Each structure stands twice: as structure tokens, then as C-alpha cells.
Amino acid sequence: MSKLNTSNSELDLDRPNIEDYLPSGSIQEPRGKLRLRDLLDISPTLTEAAGAIVDDSFTRCFKSNPPEPWNWNVYLFPLWCLGVVVRYGFLFPLRVLVLTLGWIIFLSCYFPVHTLLKRNDKLRKKLERGLVELICSFFVASWTGVIKYHGPRPSMRPRQVFVANHTSMIDFIVLEQMTAFAVIMQKHPGWVGLLQSTILESLGCIWFNRSESKDRGIVTRKLREHVEGADNNPLLIFPEGTCVNNHYTVMFKKGAFELGCTVCPIAIKYNKIFVDAFWNSRKQSFTMHLLQLMTSWAVVCDVWYLEPQNLKPGETPIEFAERVRDIISVRAGLKKVPWDGYLKYSRPSPKHRERKQQSFAESVLRRLEEK
């Protein structure tokens, strides 16, 4: 019952005030006439439905809110034009040059190390980790990344897993330039998929296909095997399972919290002063997302390595996940919402619709009985 109350309170905090969106005439009606506010008060279900039409708290988690225009006047427009010339005519070519140089250095070192040191796994893995950190540093430099890291740097220890909130695939790059994590991630097509199957495979990363149900069991087994290895790279998981717009946190999947190991939370917060780092994969390819970052002034970000957490006696993995989500949300200044991020890719289940229908029918019956 307490869980239900908590979930309802979270939803209430994020529910929009419908009256803010209504014309004043629809609220201030003469006495004796039916007002829209009275209609919405008939049932909480109707209020939720109206809120979903106007501004629901689920889709707001995956919206990129464009900044308000500041340049459309006679004084600031010339400065904006000058900024466009600098960003696209000077900074962007320079950043492309930096990234190209980074790839030349990386590839000229990586493949000889990968092929010539196969018999010396320990040295090969150490060099590969350093090279992956190097290319990620070049990526951050190509955005003029201003990244501030807070807390102790992660170390390689068995039976620990790192979890972080997720805004974009660049989260992985931002964290990887400091520590060579092995990450669990959705398998992507194109050049990103090529990097996954070649270079990142050497870090012990685990890939899955969201549409394949059989992948879940395989991934769970690989996770358990990875955290037991003392020489494996630290494991990084984004338990939200999808990119959220860095204003909210959606429900954490419990997989990382039922491995029986220490969970190390990481909070990531991007400053939108120069560019919005949120990647909306439905509207933009990752290549276009990188181009957007490379043509901005800078990417500003704070990363906090927080105190490790362990499962408490009598605590379920779901409660453990919610406790860690609380810690990350508070540190990064994000609002919690009671949604499963996978609803972004699928429709609600029939059971969920039936529960809503039953709740609505019960509320109507109670109203009729009161009459």
C-alpha cells in the first residue's frame, strides 16, 4: 500500500494543472451551469486523460525542449550571425581535424596491439583500455567538452557494478575517457554497430537486441559471469534502458540490482547553456547528434561518483533500484517519474488497460451509489 501511495504522489507532483491551459471563460461560468472543472472532478481517470492530452508526464521525459530565441532583434542578430560563422567556419573544421587525428593515432596503435599481443592477454587488455580511453578523450575534445568529475575515480574490483542515468550515447564516452568500462548496451546498426562488434568487444562489453526476448536470459548470464571476474573491466549499466532528457529519471530495471554485488551510482547532469545533449533517437541519427555537438560552442557536464550501495536486509531488488534512483536523482537535480522507459518502444499491455478500465468502472459505481 505504501508503494502505491508513493507512486501516486510522484504522479501527482508531475501532473499538470489543467486549468492553466483552459480559457478563463470555461472556468468562470455563471452559477447553475456545468463547468469543465466539475466535469474533470467526476473521476481521477478523466483528469489523467485530460492531462495526457494536454501535457502528460511520460512524453515530457523524451522531449527536447528548444531554448527560447534570443537573437531576433536588431542588436543581437549580428552577434548571432558572427557566432554561426565562428562555429561552422572555424570551430567545426578544427574539431573534425582533431577527431580525424585521434582516429589515425588510435587505429595505427590498436590493431597492431590487438593482433601482435594475443599471447599476452594481460598486457594487451591494458593497452587496449588505454587506447579506448584515448579515443574517447578525442571525442570529448571534438565537442570542446567541459567535464567536471566529482568523487573518487572508479577502480577495478570484483563483484561491483556501476549504474548511471542515461541522456545520450555520449554518456558512455564521457565516462569512458576516465575509466575503461565494459558496458551493456543496445546493439546498433551502421558505423556504431561496427565499433561495437570490433573495438568495444575487446573491453568485454555486452550487447543485446531489445526485440529479442531470448537475449534477456543470455545477458543475465553474461552479467553474472562478468562481475565475478577479478581482471574484467568495471561493468557499467544504464538501468533506465533508454535515453531520457536529463530533466527526469524513469524506472530503473532491476537486473543490475539482483546480481548480489555492490552497486556504485553515477549521476550525470548536462548544462544546456550551449547545447542540449539529449539524443532523441526517433528524430535524429547518432551521426547527426554528433554533428550538432561539434557545431555547438561546448558541451558542459558534471559527473558525480557517489557512495557505493549494498542490498539491505529484507530489501527487494526493486526497492534497492528505487533507493539508488533516489540517490542519483537528488544529486543530479532530476525529477522522478513512475514510468517504465520501455513504454517508449511499445504499447501498454492489455493487463494495464484492464486495470485502468476496472478502476474507472469502480469510481463510476461509487458515484452512482452515493446518489
Side-chain angles (χ1 to χ4, degrees), residues 11 13 32 126 140 238 244 311-312 323 357 359 361:
L11 191 59
L13 286 173
K126 182 178 180 180
V140 174
F238 299 106
V244 187
L311 188 69
K312 295 180 179 179
R323 179 162 60 87
Q357 291 168 353
S359 174

Side-chain angles (χ1 to χ4, degrees), residues 236-261:
L236 172 65
I237 297 177
F238 299 106
E240 289 174 298
T242 187
C243 295
V244 187
N245 65 6
N246 213 223
H247 291 287
Y248 301 87
T249 55
V250 297
M251 290 172 57
F252 281 8
K253 302 296 180 183
K254 66 177 182 177
F257 304 92
E258 55 185 5
L259 297 175
C261 58

Side-chain angles (χ1 to χ4, degrees), residues 29-313:
E29 290 289 343
R31 291 186 178 181
K33 291 188 177 181
L34 180 65
R35 295 176 297 179
L36 182 56
R37 180 170 56 189
D38 298 328
L39 180 62
L40 294 177
D41 284 342
I42 292 175
S43 169
T45 305
L46 289 179
T47 306
E48 289 183 21
I53 293 172
V54 175
D55 190 16
D56 69 285
S57 60
F58 176 74
T59 56
R60 269 187 286 165
C61 299
F62 309 104
K63 284 183 178 179
S64 179
N65 299 318
E68 294 185 4
W70 57 270
N71 56 334
W72 303 117
N73 62 60
V74 68
Y75 305 107
L76 295 177
F77 184 70
L79 293 177
W80 178 81
C81 292
L82 178 61
V84 171
V85 172
V86 172
R87 288 189 288 115
Y88 285 86
F90 176 71
L91 287 180
F92 179 63
L94 181 62
R95 289 165 173 174
V96 171
L97 181 62
V98 168
L99 190 58
T100 302
L101 178 63
W103 275 112
I104 292 173
I105 296 173
F106 173 78
L107 294 176
S108 62
C109 297
Y110 179 83
F111 286 109
V113 167
H114 187 71
T115 55
L116 299 178
L117 295 179
K118 286 189 175 181
R119 295 184 178 181
N120 192 340
D121 280 349
K122 190 172 182 179
L123 178 60
R124 177 177 59 82
K125 289 181 178 180
K126 182 178 180 180
L127 293 176
E128 287 176 348
R129 290 169 188 153
L131 288 171
V132 171
E133 291 176 7
L134 177 67
I135 190 60
C136 288
S137 297
F138 274 104
F139 265 106
V140 174
S142 71
W143 318 322
T144 313
V146 183
I147 317 296
K148 294 178 68 176
Y149 297 91
H150 311 267
R153 182 174 175 172
S155 58
M156 291 180 57
R157 297 177 183 175
R159 300 190 61 77
Q160 70 174 3
V161 59
F162 292 81
V163 299
N165 58 299
H166 196 25
T167 306
S168 167
M169 271 208 298
I170 71 167
D171 299 338
F172 170 71
I173 298 174
V174 167
L175 298 176
E176 198 78 6
Q177 74 159 349
M178 284 290 289
T179 303
F181 287 104
V183 69
I184 173 173
M185 188 186 295
Q186 163 77 18
K187 184 70 174 177
H188 290 273
W191 65 271
V192 177
L194 179 62
L195 293 180
Q196 287 178 321
S197 59
T198 53
I199 295 170
L200 297 181
E201 194 75 37
S202 63
L203 297 176
C205 297
I206 302 170
W207 316 116
F208 67 90
N209 191 339
R210 190 176 281 110
S211 61
E212 294 289 337
S213 58
K214 64 180 181 180
D215 279 7
R216 298 176 184 176
I218 298 174
V219 167
T220 301
R221 176 177 56 81
K222 288 183 177 180
L223 287 178
R224 295 187 181 278
E225 292 174 356
H226 188 98
V227 296
E228 295 294 338
D231 295 330
N232 291 334
N233 293 320
L235 183 62
L236 172 65
I237 297 177
F238 299 106
E240 289 174 298
T242 187
C243 295
V244 187
N245 65 6
N246 213 223
H247 291 287
Y248 301 87
T249 55
V250 297
M251 290 172 57
F252 281 8
K253 302 296 180 183
K254 66 177 182 177
F257 304 92
E258 55 185 5
L259 297 175
C261 58
T262 300
V263 173
C264 304
I266 302 176
I268 305 173
K269 180 65 175 180
Y270 293 95
N271 191 322
K272 295 173 62 175
I273 185 172
F274 295 121
V275 66
D276 186 358
F278 169 58
W279 177 39
N280 191 338
S281 58
R282 289 191 167 186
K283 295 185 177 181
Q284 190 180 46
S285 67
F286 187 64
T287 302
M288 293 304 299
H289 180 55
L290 287 180
L291 288 176
Q292 179 186 359
L293 300 180
M294 293 176 69
T295 53
S296 68
W297 287 109
V299 174
V300 182
C301 176
D302 282 277
V303 176
W304 291 272
Y305 299 106
L306 304 175
E307 185 178 353
Q309 304 292 321
N310 290 287
L311 188 69
K312 295 180 179 179

Side-chain angles (χ1 to χ4, degrees), residues 6-41:
T6 302
S7 178
N8 289 337
S9 63
E10 290 175 359
L11 191 59
D12 290 338
L13 286 173
D14 202 43
R15 181 178 292 149
N17 182 8
I18 305 301
E19 295 181 0
D20 292 342
Y21 297 87
L22 300 176
S24 57
S26 65
I27 300 175
Q28 303 296 332
E29 290 289 343
R31 291 186 178 181
K33 291 188 177 181
L34 180 65
R35 295 176 297 179
L36 182 56
R37 180 170 56 189
D38 298 328
L39 180 62
L40 294 177
D41 284 342

